[in-house]
Amino acid sequence: EDKVVQSPLSLVVHEGDTVTLNCSYEVTNFRSLLWYKQEKKAPTFLFMLTSSGIEKKSGRLSSILDKKELFSILNITATQTGDSAVYLCAASRGGGATNKLIFGTGTLLAVQP
Amino acid sequence: NAGVTQTPKFRVLKTGQSMTLLCAQDMNHEYMYWYRQDPGMGLRLIHYSVGEGTTAKGEVPDGYNVSRLKKQNFLLGLESAAPSQTSVYFCASSFSSGSATDTQYFGPGTRLTVL
């Protein structure tokens, strides 16, 4: 059965800290790994990773994929209170008419001032 | 450019009532999806559509029906609501699929409570 597991389930840090969020996956016909940030409403897209070892970076956020060990990490440096959210990881499974996203349950990050 | 919009934002139903959730996207995306999000379960795919006039079942389709009469709209119907369908429903769309570059963009969600 396909599954995506995120850890930790929740995390409380102080502003300025660096955090690492983990995502492991077991998905047949894996195509890509996506990270989303979910505040109160819609998940918003952060990164899509398709190749191992190539870091993607956007400001203070970065992510990398390891297709051999089947995991990805999301790093946030110099955290701010605005980074508080649920971070979702999803693995794209190919085959059939469309790729399907298999989501993890998310990591709840709380950044305290 | 509004992206993906959903109506209504909130709804309370009694068991056995029916309703339709509307999703609209203005990005000319071919693919559209309906998910439900429950605590501790993550987002789960209910139904999806790969183009106007086509629909297919996802991971948890029972109790739901969908229609895609126009490319920009994707409707999710509950014919006889049950308390187990209390959830937050998200619609998403993507430009294409079948390739690695199929980022899905999400609407703001509909919070549905079935009493």
Side-chain angles (χ1 to χ4, degrees):
Chain A
E1 183 183 337
D2 295 331
K3 63 179 179 181
V4 174
V5 178
Q6 293 186 244
S7 64
L9 291 179
S10 64
L11 192 55
V12 180
V13 301
H14 290 96
E15 273 192 316
D17 288 349
T18 293
V19 299
T20 298
L21 309 183
N22 304 295
C23 175
S24 64
Y25 63 91
E26 290 180 33
V27 171
T28 54
N29 202 10
F30 173 81
R31 300 301 295 268
S32 60
L33 193 292
L34 295 90
W35 285 96
Y36 288 85
K37 177 183 181 182
Q38 186 176 24
E39 295 174 89
K40 291 186 178 177
K41 294 186 176 180
T44 54
F45 173 74
L46 294 175
F47 297 111
M48 173 182 279
L49 304 154
T50 56
S51 301
S52 272
I54 299 174
E55 186 183 53
K56 289 213 171 178
K57 202 169 170 64
S58 176
R60 296 177 293 104
L61 278 66
S62 63
S63 184
I64 198 162
L65 174 67
D66 185 327
K67 291 170 77 172
K68 182 179 177 184
E69 300 297 329
L70 307 183
F71 78 89
S72 174
I73 60 172
L74 175 68
N75 281 320
I76 308 175
T77 59
T79 52
Q80 302 171 356
T81 55
D83 295 326
S84 297
V86 174
Y87 289 84
L88 299 171
C89 167
S92 175
R93 182 184 70 201
T98 181
N99 293 346
K100 296 185 180 67
L101 294 184
I102 312 298
F103 281 86
T105 55
T107 293
L108 174 62
L109 174 65
V111 181
Q112 294 181 341
Chain B
N1 190 337
V4 181
T5 58
Q6 292 181 233
T7 51
K9 290 185 171 53
F10 305 94
R11 186 72 185 269
V12 178
L13 291 178
K14 293 181 180 178
T15 297
Q17 288 185 317
S18 63
M19 78 162 294
T20 300
L21 281 67
L22 171 64
C23 175
Q25 53 92 5
D26 61 2
M27 297 177 283
N28 201 32
H29 284 172
E30 285 293 333
Y31 296 78
M32 297 186 75
Y33 312 82
W34 275 107
Y35 292 89
R36 58 179 291 172
Q37 186 175 38
D38 303 292
M41 299 292 289
L43 283 154
R44 292 181 292 168
L45 183 65
I46 305 171
H47 285 280
Y48 63 96
S49 168
V50 302
E52 182 178 318
T54 70
T55 63
K57 294 180 181 179
E59 184 185 356
V60 288
D62 294 341
Y64 305 95
N65 57 74
V66 288
S67 64
R68 183 100 181 267
L69 298 180
K70 292 183 179 181
K71 184 177 181 179
Q72 63 268 35
N73 295 336
F74 195 29
L75 278 63
L76 178 71
L78 286 73
E79 289 188 348
S80 179
S84 61
Q85 293 177 305
T86 294
S87 188
V88 180
Y89 291 86
F90 287 99
C91 176
S93 69
S94 63
F95 179 69
S96 66
S97 190
S99 72
T101 55
D102 56 345
T103 303
Q104 293 183 19
Y105 295 91
F106 285 81
T110 295
R111 184 173 294 276
L112 175 66
T113 301
V114 183
L115 302 175

